[in-house]
Amino acid sequence: MSYASFCSLFLLAFLVSFISYAQQQDPTYIYHTCPNATTYSKYSSYSTNLKSLLISLSSNSGSSSSGFYSTAAGQTPDVVFGLFLCRGDVSQEVCRECVVFAAKDTLNLCPNERTVTLYYDECMLRYSDGNILMDFSMNGGIILFNPLNFTSNQQDRFIDLVLSTMNQLATEASNSSRRFHARKANFSALQNLYGLAQCTPDLTSQECLECLQLSINQLPTDKIGGRLIVPSCSSRYELYLFYNETAIGRPQLQLDSAPPPVFENTGKGGNSSVIILAVVVPVTAVFLLFVAVFVFRAKRKKTVYEMEPLAEGGKLPFL
Ligand SMILES: *[C@@H]1O[C@H](CO)[C@@H](O)[C@H](O)[C@H]1NC(C)=O
Ligand SMILES: *[C@@H]1O[C@H](CO)[C@@H](O)[C@H](O)[C@H]1NC(C)=O
Ligand SMILES: *[C@@H]1O[C@H](CO)[C@@H](O)[C@H](O)[C@H]1NC(C)=O
Ligand SMILES: *[C@@H]1O[C@H](CO)[C@@H](O)[C@H](O)[C@H]1NC(C)=O
Ligand SMILES: *[C@@H]1O[C@H](CO)[C@@H](O)[C@H](O)[C@H]1NC(C)=O
């Protein structure tokens, strides 16, 4: 191997590890609720049970293929019920990082509170002294909207598309065993609408559908993006791709054959593959550098969402 290609490989390895390091980050906090009504004291059995619950949730978060896990710790009257749900498109690794982070974060955000729900972009963590397993709850939560208004004479068509796409998603998500689905729809030749719907998988199909349909009716549709998140379900739409499309499932039109391999070492062409490597590797490295710069710039320009908390202990206005 020539010196140049060795250097290029080294640079490439450095860039790849740098990018993966840069991408590892704390989950994106959205909102939390911990009503002050019921607290526990520091050395109580509830405190001990809560700690073992959080350990149990954390340690199961890397192995749950559904991204959902619920359990309880301790004996009545000090039993703690808890669960986590990761967004349907995140990897097990991202799920684990989010749940582990949330389990620590809760002791800062809600110290001494018995009933807590924490929402992040990547996961939700919830625990209570009441039984929240198999619990249908739209109690408390948050509406988020992208502050940009939809300004176009096509607004009616946009609202129709948001509602039809989200209602279709509600059916698809509630019919799937994971209670999750995401899809895109054509708004114009240049713009797609992206939507996502998810329930905790302990809901029945009917409960999930109900939760999503009630949520969709409350989504702000005069904005270019909106979310409604309650303990049992969440729904979101945007004019940009906000979920990992390849993790959703194969698009209908996928090529059956893989592209031919570039580095085919047939013995005879040994030298030519080294030359290809020496050319391709630096080009790839420069390309990755551009990607890295792009990723950082994209992160800095994050949209600040406006929020409208749903009344804790109250209900959605129309219920
Ligand atoms: C929560 O409860 C604690 C102790 O009862 C009290 O000191 C604190 O002011 C309360 N906080 C709120 C926001 O009500
Ligand atoms: C969006 O529209 C509302 C009502 O039409 C208006 O009050 C608000 O200022 C607009 N926001 C922006 C960012 O243009
Ligand atoms: C969802 O399931 C229901 C009942 O099993 C069925 O009637 C309906 O057609 C299904 N919808 C979709 C989109 O698969
Ligand atoms: C999406 O838009 C393109 C261009 O306007 C159109 O050709 C295509 O049929 C549309 N696809 C769907 C699923 O509506
Ligand atoms: C998206 O999902 C695919 C399949 O699960 C995974 O291989 C890929 O790393 C994910 N991409 C991101 C940016 O998380």
Side-chain angles (χ1 to χ4, degrees):
M1 190 186 288
S2 75
Y3 176 71
S5 51
F6 175 78
C7 285
S8 307
L9 268 182
F10 181 80
L11 182 64
L12 178 66
F14 172 77
L15 276 172
V16 166
S17 54
F18 174 73
I19 288 171
S20 63
Y21 169 77
Q23 281 182 334
Q24 214 171 44
Q25 55 180 356
D26 289 345
T28 305
Y29 168 82
I30 298 178
Y31 185 62
H32 71 276
T33 63
C34 37
N36 208 8
T38 52
T39 56
Y40 63 87
S41 57
K42 205 170 182 179
Y43 301 106
S44 61
S45 324
Y46 195 85
S47 173
T48 312
N49 294 341
L50 175 58
K51 275 175 194 140
S52 45
L53 178 93
L54 293 175
I55 289 170
S56 166
L57 293 177
S58 297
S59 60
N60 280 285
S61 58
S63 54
S64 163
S65 60
S66 65
F68 176 76
Y69 185 78
S70 64
T71 188
Q75 311 282 318
T76 24
D78 295 306
V79 60
V80 192
F81 301 89
L83 59 86
F84 67 76
L85 175 65
C86 289
R87 208 175 68 193
D89 61 309
V90 307
S91 66
Q92 277 189 6
E93 180 54 20
V94 170
C95 180
R96 189 188 63 78
E97 281 167 14
C98 184
V99 174
V100 168
F101 184 89
K104 288 186 188 134
D105 211 16
T106 188
L107 301 175
N108 301 321
L109 294 172
C110 300
N112 315 327
E113 310 292 345
R114 284 171 172 259
T115 296
V116 170
T117 309
L118 305 179
Y119 300 103
Y120 302 82
D121 247 354
E122 298 83 356
C123 73
M124 171 194 64
L125 177 80
R126 195 179 168 210
Y127 56 84
S128 177
D129 55 3
N131 191 344
I132 53 166
L133 315 183
M134 323 274 279
D135 175 38
F136 177 85
S137 170
M138 299 188 70
N139 204 344
I142 185 99
I143 297 176
L144 293 103
F145 46 91
N146 195 315
L148 296 177
N149 286 340
F150 187 85
T151 50
S152 141
N153 54 5
Q154 304 250 336
Q155 179 153 20
D156 287 346
R157 205 171 67 79
F158 180 70
I159 292 175
D160 285 349
L161 186 68
V162 169
L163 291 179
S164 64
T165 304
M166 295 314 290
N167 278 308
Q168 191 179 356
L169 272 169
T171 312
E172 289 165 337
S174 59
N175 264 19
S176 81
S177 60
R178 294 183 64 203
R179 306 276 184 264
F180 166 76
H181 203 61
R183 65 158 50 249
K184 67 178 169 200
N186 255 357
F187 180 59
S188 66
L190 295 175
Q191 273 189 313
N192 282 328
L193 175 76
Y194 298 90
L196 180 150
Q198 184 169 25
C199 300
T200 56
D202 58 344
L203 296 192
T204 64
S205 181
Q206 191 54 43
E207 286 171 329
C208 178
L209 186 64
E210 189 184 342
C211 188
L212 290 173
Q213 284 177 338
L214 292 171
S215 300
I216 290 162
N217 283 327
Q218 293 293 299
L219 274 175
T221 48
D222 55 341
K223 308 290 177 184
I224 60 166
R227 295 184 238 186
L228 192 143
I229 311 170
V230 292
S232 281
C233 72
S234 67
S235 48
R236 180 177 184 183
Y237 73 89
E238 303 284 355
L239 281 172
Y240 67 91
L241 184 59
F242 61 92
Y243 54 83
N244 182 347
E245 211 168 18
T246 54
I248 305 302
R250 284 159 178 270
Q252 289 105 330
L253 288 174
Q254 205 174 36
L255 292 175
D256 283 329
S257 53
V262 181
F263 303 128
E264 205 158 49
N265 202 339
T266 53
K268 264 200 249 168
N271 276 341
S272 67
S273 36
V274 169
I275 291 166
I276 291 172
L277 206 62
V279 173
V280 167
V281 168
V283 168
T284 311
V286 168
F287 171 72
L288 284 175
L289 188 62
F290 274 105
V291 170
V293 169
F294 181 76
V295 164
F296 279 111
R297 300 184 86 193
K299 264 179 195 158
R300 235 179 280 150
K301 273 206 307 187
K302 226 171 208 174
T303 309
V304 177
Y305 279 78
E306 288 174 11
M307 296 194 178
E308 199 173 290
L310 299 163
E312 179 66 35
K315 295 187 171 218
L316 295 179
F318 54 92
L319 287 177

